[in-house]
Amino acid sequence: MGGFHSKPKPKPTPKSSNPNATITPLDRAILDLKNSRDRLTKYRAKLALDATKLASRAKTLHSNNDTKMALQLLKLRKYKLHE
């Protein structure tokens, strides 16, 4: 009801110490290094998880007398670990 008669609320603006600040090439390079480091740690964690999954799957296949497929999975695990 009071929407037509009320004043519009001002939108909050982000406050920075220097409104004319620009991103320097050094700042961009540091940010890129940090981003690549984070991607690398995520990728390493994913590889470790995949390796454990492949090893457990190979163990179950070996216990089910499917040795050929188990060996293939172990070769795949070895290949992924050496990437």
Side-chain angles (χ1 to χ4, degrees), residues 29-66:
I30 291 171
L31 181 64
D32 289 343
L33 279 174
K34 288 180 179 180
N35 285 336
S36 62
R37 178 198 62 199
D38 293 342
R39 282 195 308 265
L40 184 62
T41 55
K42 284 181 186 178
Y43 181 68
R44 284 182 179 163
K46 182 183 175 290
L47 278 181
L49 182 65
D50 286 348
T52 56
K53 282 183 182 179
L54 286 172
S56 65
R57 191 166 167 216
K59 284 180 185 178
T60 57
L61 284 173
H62 182 65
S63 65
N64 292 338
N65 294 328
D66 193 1

